[in-house]
Amino acid sequence: VAIARIAVPVAANRLFDYWLPAGLQVESGSVVRVAFGRRRVHGVVTEIVRSSELSPDRILPVQEVVEALPVLPGDLRALAQFVAAYYQQPIGQCFAQLLPPLGAKRGRSEGRRADVVAVEAVKGLEVIELNTDQRRALDAALPRPPSFAVSLLQGVTGSGKTEVYLAAAARVIREDRQALFLVPEIHLTPQLEQRIAAALPGVRVVTLHSALGAGKRLGHWLAAARGEAQLVVGTRLAVFAPLPRLGLIAVDEEHDTSFRQQDGVRYNARDVAIYRARLRDVPVLLGSATPSLESYAQAQRGRYRWLRLSQRAKARAALPSVQLVPNRDPGSLEGLGSSLRAAIAERLARREQSLLFVNRRGFAPSLLCVACGWKAMCPRCAARLVVHREAAALRCHHCGHNERIPAGCPDCGNRDLFPLGFGTQRLERALGQLFPGARVMRVDRDSTRRRGAFAAMFRAITSGDVDILVGTQMLAKGHDFARLTLVGILGCDNALYSADFRATERLFALLEQVAGRAGRGALPGEVLVQTDFPEHPLFAALVDHDYDRFAEALLAERRSLGLPPFGHLALLAAEATSRAAVNSFLERAAARGNALATAHGKHCEVFPPVAAALARRAGMERGQVLVQASERRALQNFLARWREDLERLGPRTVRWSLEVDPPAVG
DNA sequence: AGCACGCCGACT
DNA sequence: GTCGGCGTGCTC
C-alpha cells in the first residue's frame, strides 16, 4: 500500500504517515482530510512513499481529498519547507499557511464574466503616466527576458513608487502573467483599491487579507489559483497565494514591521517574497522611502538593483519643510509648544488641515501620586497603566487589564493623582479648549474600533469636515489629504532612549512617513517636531530628508558591532509563571548553546539570559537569550541543533519560541 | 495545537 | 471518599 507523508497542522516538528486507500487520487500537494488523535484535520501531502517506519497497525487511512482545492503547486510547498527550515517553525503549521480558510460557505466571489474582456482591455494599457525617473526604474526592474532580480525602489513619500509598481504590474499582465502586490495593512488604505482600479482599468484584481470574510477569502484564493486574478493585492499572508502564471512580486513599504508575522508561525513576508521570486525566476520590486538597512546594504553591495526616485512626482508638491521646536517650552500648554500652536492657528485661518501625531493612545501613559510617588501599575504586567479618561478607566495596553481610576492613592490616601504625559485623548481635549471653533477628530484604535468607523472618519477628513486631526501610527500610512499642510509630531523622544538597537531606524521611518502626509496636494507642507534633542543625527537627517546620510551612519555603527545586516541574530524567548523557572530554563539553554557553539568552531555567540524588555506580561515572567553569528549558514546549522536540544530541556510549563531575524531586541 | 491521562489538594 | 486543578505526553 502507498503511504502519504502528510503535513498536519500541529506544533510537532515532523510529518505523519497515512495509507492511501485504492481509488483515491492523491499526489504531492493534495489537500486531504485525516483523523488525527480524536480530531479530523486538513493536511497537505508532501510526498508519497512505498513504506513507513511505523508498524502498519498504527497507520490510519487518508479519509478524503478536499476536492474544493487544487493540488498545491511545487513553489508553495517549497515555500512552506523554506519557512520551516529558515525560521525554525513546525513543518505542519508552515504548510497550514498555504491553505485558504476551509469549512466556510462556498467561496464564489465575483463572477467570471469580465475575465476575457479584461485581458483585451489590458493590451492597450498605457494609462499610467510616468516621469523619467519612474520610467527608468520600471525598465530596470523588469529584466528582459524575464528573470529573477531584486530591485530596491527608494523614493520619498509622494515620489510615485505606487505608479511604478502598477506600471510594472501592467506590463506583466499584458504578457498574460499575474502580479502579486504586498502592502503592510490593506484595510487602512481604502484609497488603494480605487487607485488600482483607475490605473489598471479592466484588470481583474483580488485582495487577500485577514479582515476578509472566510468565503470571500477562499473565493479570491481560488481566483488566484485558477489564474483568473491578474493582480493579487494583499497583506503578508498573500505571499502564499497560489499564482500559476506569476510574473512579478512588488513589496510596498518593504521596511514595515507588519510584514512580520509574530503570532503562530513566525516569518517575514518580504523575505519569503524574495525567496519565492527566486524559485519562480521572476523579478521582485521592494519599495520604500526609508529602506530597511538589510535591503539598503544589499543595494550598496550591488546585490539588488538600486533604483531611486529623487523628486515628488507632481512637480508642485515639494517635500515639506521640517523644523525642530523645543519640547519643554515655557509657553507650553498641555504639551503643545507655542510654535506648534501658532502654526495650527495659521492653518485654521487659511482653512487648511493640521495633523498632530502622538504614538500613544489613551489620555495619559501614567497616573502618579504627587504625595508619595506611587504609580498605577498593571497587576499582571511589568508596565504602567494608561489613563483612559472617557471610560474613567486605567488600562494595560499589553494584557487588556481594565480598572476604574481610583479616587485616591491606594498607598497613602492622597486624593491628588496626576496624569503624567500625553496621549491622543488628552491632546484632543486640549485642542478643543485651545481652539474652540475648530473641528477636532481623533483617529486611533479606540476611536476606530467600531466597524466602518475608520472609513467614516476617512470620508469626513477628505470632504473637509475636519480641521485638526489627532492620531497614532494609523494615520501615518499612505493617505493623501489634499488640504493637510501641517504635521506636528509630539512625544517621539522616548524612542531615543530605547535599548533596542533598531529603535532609531524605526523612528526615522515612522517620522518620515508621517512627515510625508503634509503637502501632498498643491499646497506646501510644514512639519514641526517637538524634541529635547535637536542635535541628534536622526533629526538632522530628517530636516534634510536625507535618509542616506542617516542610513550610512547607522550601518557604520552596525558594522562595528557585528549587528544586522553585518551579523545575524536569533532570539530564544521564554516565559513561565515563575521567574525561577524561566531563568533555570534559559541558563540551561544558554549552557547547551555555548557547548554547541564551541563544538562548531565558535561562529555563533550565545549571550547570557536577560529579562525581556517587558519583563512580565499577563502574569508570565519573560526572558530571552540572544544568539549572534557572523555567517547566516552557521546560525542556521546552530539553530537546527539547538532547537532539538531545547525540546528536551524544559518542563512544559516554560513556553519558549525561537525568533530568527528578530525585528526587535530589547 | 488539542486532548486525555494521571497525580495531588478541598469539598459534598 | 470523590471532583478537578494543571503538568506531561501523544497524535500517523
Side-chain angles (χ1 to χ4, degrees), chain A residues 195-511:
Chain A
R195 235 171 124 186
I196 291 171
L200 303 175
V203 171
R204 198 175 136 95
V205 182
V206 299
T207 54
L208 278 177
H209 53 94
S210 57
L212 217 55
K216 262 194 174 163
R217 200 163 131 198
L218 175 59
H220 292 187
W221 189 94
L222 289 170
R226 293 192 205 103
E228 293 167 9
Q230 296 166 295
L231 175 60
V232 173
V233 184
T235 53
R236 57 175 184 258
L237 59 87
V239 77
F240 298 111
L243 294 157
R245 298 196 317 281
L246 181 65
L248 167 78
I249 306 178
V251 184
D252 188 28
E253 307 291 1
E254 63 88 22
H255 66 278
D256 201 290
T257 47
S258 41
F259 286 120
R260 289 171 192 273
Q261 177 140 67
Q262 292 288 78
D263 44 316
V265 177
R266 288 157 197 272
Y267 64 89
N268 182 337
R270 183 245 289 154
D271 295 332
V272 176
I274 295 170
Y275 187 83
R276 187 174 189 189
R278 193 200 312 266
L279 278 177
R280 297 289 298 266
D281 199 25
V282 300
V284 57
L285 186 50
L286 310 178
S288 177
T290 51
S292 64
L293 292 183
E294 281 75 10
S295 301
Y296 195 94
Q298 293 286 45
Q300 267 188 335
R301 284 176 203 146
R303 308 262 303 266
Y304 293 177
R305 302 175 180 197
W306 203 349
L307 317 173
R308 286 162 175 275
L309 300 178
S310 43
Q311 343 92 7
R312 281 194 157 181
K314 289 178 196 151
R316 274 201 289 154
L319 281 171
S321 72
V322 178
Q323 282 180 64
L324 307 174
V325 297
N327 204 18
R328 288 177 208 172
D329 176 0
S332 209
L333 291 170
E334 287 285 310
L336 289 164
S338 45
S339 326
L340 195 47
R341 293 206 309 279
I344 295 169
E346 267 179 50
R347 294 320 182 286
L348 288 172
R350 295 208 297 255
R351 307 202 153 274
E352 293 170 9
Q353 287 174 322
S354 305
L355 160 63
L356 293 194
F357 174 82
V358 216
N359 212 5
R360 276 202 169 127
R361 62 194 173 89
F363 185 82
S366 182
L367 186 69
L368 177 77
C369 171
V370 191
C372 74
W374 168 88
K375 269 184 194 153
M377 298 296 290
C378 177
R380 309 173 65 218
C381 305
R384 285 167 302 180
L385 290 171
V386 177
V387 184
H388 282 250
R389 192 108 167 196
E390 291 172 335
L394 293 175
R395 286 188 188 153
C396 177
H397 287 184
H398 300 285
C399 75
H401 171 87
N402 193 58
E403 62 183 67
R404 287 196 59 79
I405 297 177
C409 174
D411 276 10
C412 73
N414 168 41
R415 313 278 297 175
D416 193 10
L417 297 179
F418 182 70
L420 198 65
F422 298 89
T424 46
Q425 289 179 9
R426 189 169 191 174
L427 223 53
E428 178 189 28
R429 198 184 64 153
L431 288 161
Q433 290 164 352
L434 291 166
F435 305 101
R439 296 162 299 176
V440 180
M441 179 178 276
R442 174 166 61 89
V443 183
D444 57 26
R445 214 160 80 208
D446 300 310
S447 73
T448 57
R449 203 182 302 276
R450 286 194 335 275
R451 228 181 125 75
F454 188 83
M457 287 186 175
F458 195 82
R459 278 195 299 278
I461 300 163
T462 44
S463 60
D465 296 340
V466 178
D467 300 312
I468 307 174
L469 276 160
V470 181
T472 55
Q473 298 225 30
M474 242 182 195
L475 277 177
K477 298 192 177 177
H479 311 295
D480 270 5
F481 302 127
R483 294 199 64 80
L484 179 65
T485 60
L486 173 69
V487 168
I489 295 169
L490 297 113
C492 65
D493 281 349
N494 49 49
L496 301 175
Y497 301 115
S498 171
D500 181 10
F501 72 91
R502 274 191 240 260
T504 53
E505 179 189 351
R506 280 201 306 268
L507 179 62
F508 189 97
L510 184 58
L511 294 188

